[in-house]
Amino acid sequence: NIPAISEYIYSRVDPDFVKRAKQAGQGVIVGGENYGQGSSREHAALAPRHLGVLAVVAKSFARIHRANLVNFGIVPLILENKEDYDSLKQGMEIRIPFSDLSPAGTIQICIGEENFVPVNNDLTKKELDILNSGGTLNYVRKSRVEN
């Protein structure tokens, strides 16, 4: 029951996360080192996706959780300069030029009014295709229709 599970994500560290996510309709999570460690279950990515999370910007990612983010259509982005983490504050507007993503590339995300922060990705072309399809399930459906 994904809607029910989604009611509790991050509740121990941020009791208002779900309320803010629902009000915003979409958003970005900012994470620290090894984001997603211990969160290898699919629900750790599926619940944020249900709440409209489009991307996670982090210092680094746990391997299995990173794969699950891609599987469910959430873009994992790695801060090029880990010090930039301190400039990202809750409630700050973050604009990500998703159309500029390329395999293993760097893009500039805009935070606030005119501050830009470089982020990298370690995505393959296939993973980008999966993300552009909205996740693995949509990618597989699309592939079956095309073939």
Side-chain angles (χ1 to χ4, degrees), residues 103-147:
T106 300
I107 60 171
Q108 299 283 329
I109 62 172
C110 183
I111 59 171
E113 291 297 318
E114 295 181 19
N115 297 317
F116 291 89
V117 171
V119 293
N120 302 314
N121 75 74
D122 57 357
L123 301 164
T124 65
K125 180 179 180 335
K126 182 177 180 180
E127 287 174 322
L128 277 174
D129 290 344
I130 289 169
L131 287 165
N132 287 327
S133 296
T136 301
L137 185 57
N138 292 336
Y139 176 79
V140 170
R141 284 184 188 150
K142 180 179 169 187
S143 296
R144 287 182 180 164
V145 169
E146 290 174 355
N147 294 324

Side-chain angles (χ1 to χ4, degrees), residues 15-139:
D16 296 324
F17 176 82
V18 173
K19 178 181 172 186
R20 282 194 320 278
K22 286 180 177 181
Q23 287 173 342
Q26 65 182 14
V28 175
I29 293 173
V30 176
E33 295 282 354
N34 206 22
Y35 175 82
Q37 177 184 11
S39 299
S40 61
R41 292 191 176 99
E42 293 175 330
H43 296 93
L46 189 55
R49 177 62 182 190
H50 176 77
L51 292 173
V53 171
L54 303 174
V56 175
V57 176
K59 292 181 180 181
S60 63
F61 288 91
R63 179 182 53 83
I64 295 172
H65 185 67
R66 178 211 166 275
N68 283 333
L69 291 173
V70 172
N71 287 339
F72 292 105
I74 298 175
V75 179
L77 298 169
I78 305 159
L79 290 165
E80 186 170 289
N81 305 307
K82 293 181 182 185
E83 312 83 55
D84 286 334
Y85 174 84
D86 296 325
S87 67
L88 300 168
K89 305 293 182 207
Q90 183 173 296
M92 180 178 275
E93 182 177 345
I94 298 175
R95 291 185 305 279
I96 301 172
F98 292 109
S99 61
D100 291 350
L101 284 172
S102 62
T106 300
I107 60 171
Q108 299 283 329
I109 62 172
C110 183
I111 59 171
E113 291 297 318
E114 295 181 19
N115 297 317
F116 291 89
V117 171
V119 293
N120 302 314
N121 75 74
D122 57 357
L123 301 164
T124 65
K125 180 179 180 335
K126 182 177 180 180
E127 287 174 322
L128 277 174
D129 290 344
I130 289 169
L131 287 165
N132 287 327
S133 296
T136 301
L137 185 57
N138 292 336
Y139 176 79

